[in-house]
Amino acid sequence: MTRTAIVPTMGALHDGHLALVHRARELADRVVVSIFVNPTQFGAGEDFARYPRTLDADRVLLDGLAEVFVPTVAEVYPTDNPPPVIHAGPMGDLWDGAARPGHFDGVLTVVNRLFDLVKPDVAVFGEKDWQQLTLIRVMVTERHVPIDIIGVPTVREPSGLALSSRNRFLNPDELEKAALLPVVLRQIAESGGTSESIIRGAARLDDAGFMVDYLDVVDENTLEPTIDSANARAIIAARLGSTRLIDNMPVAPAAER
Ligand code: PAF
């Protein structure tokens, strides 16, 4: 039987997305990359209108690698039979959800709808959006959705900056500064996630001109703050100019320090 994988994206593809596609190709015979800039996951005043749309270039990148599925808004959200809204619950109100109310309801609703349209056996997501990945895992578990959810480690620039479609909004000066973000995360991760390292890291970013939204160490499954370095992640969101960057790294367990 043909095994189908989906890689849901909002386009503006980069090597991080291609890593997802390559992983999907290892896991399935048929790989579908969806490209849909989902309006319901953007809040008022967010960057929906300016989100990069590079469909022709995306198609070239995917040529020979995957099927490209570019649904319309009417296909995803038919007005005569709207898909169910999936609520992310309290975990969706933490971190990015606190800064972007309703964001994760929009993400889960569209992911669930894409699953419905494509009927995949497996779905591949980047670990860069750790909270998103965690919430999708919770959604399929709670709703008994028979789809394997696979996370792929973050792909980084040589500077360490996590690849993101939004990096193209950074001017050359901001791009150089942005490399401090993974440096700080790595120091926190390598320190075992101590509160001193978090305070020092936040101050460093502040001095460099970042507006830190959150910087903390959390249990990687519950997303609650933790001081236990086992199964923990250092997570960050920070604004540089008009661009909001997010990233995370696994905290080194005591035995590995
Ligand atoms: O990570 C993204 O690009 C989006 O949140 C997703 C999963 C494609 C849903 O719109």
Side-chain angles (χ1 to χ4, degrees):
M1 237 176 57
T2 306
R3 203 169 144 77
T4 299
I6 185 170
V7 180
T9 81
M10 298 204 299
L13 302 182
H14 48 65
D15 284 351
H17 295 109
L18 292 185
L20 307 184
V21 175
H22 288 299
R23 184 76 185 105
R25 283 167 58 91
E26 291 168 359
L27 298 166
D29 323 281
R30 174 174 174 247
V31 175
V32 178
V33 175
S34 61
I35 299 181
F36 179 66
V37 185
N38 173 35
T40 68
Q41 68 187 75
F42 291 82
E46 289 190 350
D47 57 357
F48 174 69
R50 79 159 184 159
Y51 197 85
R53 287 155 171 92
T54 60
L55 188 55
D56 291 344
D58 293 349
R59 285 193 192 278
V60 171
L61 279 179
L62 294 172
D63 190 31
L65 284 180
E67 288 172 36
V68 186
F69 175 48
V70 189
T72 60
V73 172
E75 224 173 322
V76 176
Y77 298 113
T79 43
D80 53 344
N81 186 18
V85 174
I86 312 291
H87 293 287
M91 204 192 272
D93 294 333
L94 300 170
W95 314 115
D96 273 306
R100 309 182 65 190
H103 168 68
F104 287 114
D105 290 0
V107 169
L108 295 186
T109 299
V110 79
V111 167
N112 189 53
R113 176 69 179 142
L114 292 167
F115 286 175
D116 221 39
L117 290 168
V118 175
K119 309 231 173 313
D121 302 286
V122 53
V124 184
F125 297 89
E127 289 186 352
K128 179 177 155 286
D129 296 292
W130 187 265
Q131 186 172 9
Q132 167 173 286
L133 175 60
T134 306
L135 283 163
I136 291 167
R137 288 191 200 283
V138 170
M139 174 179 76
V140 299
T141 305
E142 283 182 352
R143 299 174 71 85
H144 308 288
V145 178
I147 298 175
D148 294 332
I149 304 299
I150 305 296
V152 172
T154 303
V155 179
R156 296 177 181 280
E157 300 275 7
S159 70
L161 179 65
L163 295 194
S164 163
S165 303
R166 290 187 170 97
N167 289 356
R168 66 191 76 198
F169 296 142
L170 298 168
N171 66 34
D173 179 47
E174 290 169 340
L175 197 56
E176 209 182 309
K177 268 193 192 154
L180 182 61
L181 200 139
V183 169
V184 162
L185 266 191
R186 192 168 305 283
Q187 281 169 350
I188 294 170
E190 287 176 357
S191 81
T194 61
S195 41
E196 295 76 23
S197 69
I198 298 172
I199 293 166
R200 245 196 334 267
R204 241 184 120 180
L205 291 166
D206 199 47
D207 287 348
F210 287 81
M211 293 274 293
V212 178
D213 183 354
Y214 60 77
L215 173 60
D216 216 326
V217 170
V218 298
D219 178 283
E220 63 182 12
N221 297 311
T222 65
L223 306 180
E224 293 293 341
T226 182
I227 49 166
D228 181 356
S229 62
N231 303 319
R233 289 228 156 210
I235 59 168
I236 187 164
R239 201 170 280 280
L240 196 53
S242 63
T243 309
R244 189 167 183 275
L245 301 169
I246 65 170
D247 199 355
N248 68 85
M249 279 185 200
V251 169
E256 288 173 23
R257 272 179 265 135

